[in-house]
Amino acid sequence: MDFFAAYRDGLLADDYHRVPALLTGLDPAELARAGRLLANLAVDDTQATVVRVAITGHGTLSPLVPSLTAEVARHGLLLRPTVGDFGGYLTELSDPDSELYRAEAEITLCVLDAGIIFDEVPVPWRPADVRAVLDEKLAFLDKLASIFEANSKGTLVLNTLPLPHRLSAQLVDHQSRAELGALWREANARLLRFGEQHPGVLVVDLDPLLAEGIPVEDPRMAVYAKMHLSTELLARYAREIGHLARNTAGRTKKCLVLDLDGTVWGGILGEDGHDGVEVAETHHGEAFRAFQRVVKQIGAQGVLLAVVSKNDLEPVRRALTENPQMTLSENDFVRIIANWQPKHDNLKQLAADLNLGVDAFTFVDDSTLECGLVREELPGVAVLPVTGDPALHVGTLLADGWFDVRELTVEDRARVDKYREDLSRKDFLDNFDSIEQYLAELGVRVRFAPATEKELPRVSQLSLRTNQFNLTTRRLQLPEVRELADDPAWHVLAIRSSDRFGDNGLVGVIFGRRENDALHLENFILSCRVFSRGIEQACLSALLHHAREHGLTEVFGSYRPTAKNGKVADFYRRYGFTTLPGSDDGVTRFRHDLGELTEAPAHVDLDFGGTLQ
């Protein structure tokens, strides 16, 4: 059944989880149509994760909402938009009491176009006139960004200003056109650097989208409807915002899983041999080499790379280590699974090995059959079929920004090595008869202390990307984390761990709020990489002892259930907290009277540098 048939039959309101699969393969026009239908669909907020988006800007933006509704739905999210008045971005962003701020949106879009400049340029004009308006407008946008950061905990999204040909062509001499082009690009470069001074601001660069051949505007719509960006450009922009919404909701993918034959290289390894597959210097070989280069580039930025292939393991290893034309090597992959088992079963095993959910995977395969089976058996996996020309593999892989994040951290760049260390730990475990013996020899060391300024981006990332051990799943952008860290009533305590195999880095955080003689644990987050090592018990024990020693009389904790954090539902009860009477907000609350306290596990060497003063 296709999307439109499912909508007509009334199947989507109560089964919203089916929408992402039904939207797969729709072209931009069909997606916009689907978005208009979804906007009118009465979906309960419990059916999906809600993303609140406020929209303001300069020109007419009516086509943006249906496209954005569909793009957000493609990732299983439910859009709740707030749309400002036509051309009202100046007043709406300037006024902290405006409807835009009252919406408390996670993402606020301020869509800009060249009209914000040329509406104020005199006629006749020269490049110097444009420069003066650009300088004035950028200074004002800088002020708006500061006002936004002071009054919102969300992200403000600006965009670079495209320069339509009809404007530059009004200058008849090429020297003036070059001057206009230079100062316009300089202004856009300044705009792109806004994020350096304003952590709550993100700027979308429209130039790469326009390079795909998308028109800046429709001349008739620009004149008659004041719509200064084309429907096609707004739809493409909406796709970028969909990726941001997915990241905001904690659904960024963490692992790229690749088939081999026909995907990473040309030919069939079992028939062509490790030195006969196409990876360079042939028509298709160059396309596969280009794909491998992109995969390697992605892997260098903290994305885990893995192989799931129907092949024998030894020939695969020979191909990756002995073929001199191969761009990817065995060391680029955190795990290589090559056997003849169903790929969806291998993906489940890979998830278990990496201690990830399968919904953290993006899977690329050239087989329509394999893609269909994985999509059917594991709907949380992002499946990317690459069934056509290998020169198109790169575009398919990059089209949806599956691994996009706001900012790369030190932990991101070291992630592959850390997961390899985790796999070594699993192998090490096999040498022991009991988990207790294993932990005693593992040598777990924990540093538990207030987060430093340099650690705050990683703290934010943990709140955005951790799903299993995340007790309230409150997603915090960097400005929100920084605000809590600067508040004397709050304690943002970072957890670092290491052991005999290496440094795990910053793996967890506890957010606590001091109120009189009580400490409220507003959230406790721990990376899935370090589960079941006693780290959570050691940190909680240290915090409870410290609270009692400093005169506190009680500690409260909260748990908000989600589809993925059920394994920590009884976390507080396990360590001596009692359950408080239920509430209407879906949150279970707990209390510890600081009487009998749980001790830290003997195998954990804990260094607690926090204070509740």
Side-chain angles (χ1 to χ4, degrees), residues 254 298-304 408 411-416 465:
K254 300 177 181 178
I298 290 173
Q301 298 170 84
V303 176
L304 303 177
L408 278 182
E411 283 77 9
D412 288 327
R413 299 186 186 279
R415 181 171 289 114
V416 175
R465 300 183 66 176

Side-chain angles (χ1 to χ4, degrees), residues 291-303 305 327-328:
F291 180 69
Q292 289 193 29
R293 286 174 61 87
V294 171
V295 169
K296 196 177 187 78
Q297 169 70 14
I298 290 173
Q301 298 170 84
V303 176
L305 305 181
T327 300
L328 291 167

Side-chain angles (χ1 to χ4, degrees), residues 320-342:
L320 292 171
T321 57
E322 297 181 19
N323 188 322
Q325 295 181 321
M326 194 76 65
T327 300
L328 291 167
S329 70
E330 184 176 5
N331 289 334
D332 290 316
F333 297 98
V334 69
R335 182 65 105 196
I336 296 174
I337 299 179
N339 58 38
W340 301 95
Q341 301 301 315

